[in-house]
């Protein structure tokens, strides 16, 4: 990484499966790569329903934010990609239950499919003290 840019790698979220890092810190900004509902240890979820997938993807995002020295309350932008517009309300309910005190700018983008057949992927931008 170049000067002033630091990659984030925590064992509390899944290791990158490609040529990217879990997140990047640049000054006061934290950029979290898209997180799929993969457990940090790589094992399959006990339940592969939409809500369980949403919880795991959000959990991964939050752990990377924390590893970067930020917090859920310092997330400024979230983008969630969900398979099926019918899952929008379900995503919103899970998200609100996991980060009830944070209300960043957010986009929910319905998509026809995601990698590995997952139903949700989420990324984020947060701030922190440099």
């Amino acid at each position: 990484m170049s000067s002033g840019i630091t990659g984030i790698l925590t064992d509390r979220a899944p290791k990158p499966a490609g040529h990217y890092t879990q997140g990047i810190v640049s000054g006061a900004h934290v950029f979290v790569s898209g997180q799929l509902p993969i457990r940090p240890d790589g094992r399959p979820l006990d339940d592969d329903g939409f809500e369980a997938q949403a919880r795991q993807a959000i959990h991964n995002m939050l752990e990377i934010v924390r590893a970067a020295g930020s917090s859920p309350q310092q997330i400024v932008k979230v983008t969630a990609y969900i398979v099926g517009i019918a899952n929008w309300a379900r995503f919103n309910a899970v998200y609100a239950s996991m980060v009830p005190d944070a209300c960043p700018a957010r986009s929910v983008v319905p998509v026809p499919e995601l990698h590995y057949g997952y139903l949700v992927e989420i990324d984020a931008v947060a701030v922190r003290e440099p």
Side-chain angles (χ1 to χ4, degrees):
M1 300 273 155
S2 65
S3 179
I5 298 175
T6 305
I8 301 302
L9 184 61
T10 177
D11 61 1
R12 297 183 60 97
K15 289 186 177 18
H19 188 67
Y20 63 94
T21 185
Q22 292 171 327
I24 294 287
V25 172
S26 178
H29 294 89
V30 178
F31 301 90
V32 178
S33 294
Q35 295 300 302
L36 291 166
I38 299 171
R39 290 168 47 145
D41 61 10
R43 292 184 305 144
L45 298 177
D46 295 332
D47 170 4
D48 66 354
F50 181 83
E51 286 86 352
Q53 288 192 34
R55 274 190 298 278
Q56 186 64 56
I58 294 166
H59 169 83
N60 294 342
M61 175 201 61
L62 294 173
E63 289 300 333
I64 295 166
V65 165
R66 289 180 181 111
S70 189
S71 71
Q73 293 74 26
Q74 293 174 289
I75 297 172
V76 296
K77 176 70 169 98
V78 168
T79 304
Y81 305 90
I82 61 171
V83 174
I85 198 158
N87 286 320
W88 194 311
R90 295 163 73 190
F91 175 80
N92 197 53
V94 172
Y95 184 89
S97 74
M98 291 186 71
V99 285
D101 299 328
C103 198
R106 191 182 82 181
S107 300
V108 178
V109 183
V111 296
E113 65 182 334
L114 290 167
H115 201 46
Y116 304 120
Y118 287 118
L119 301 175
V120 62
E121 182 172 356
I122 189 167
D123 63 36
V125 178
V127 294
R128 67 181 199 116
E129 297 300 318

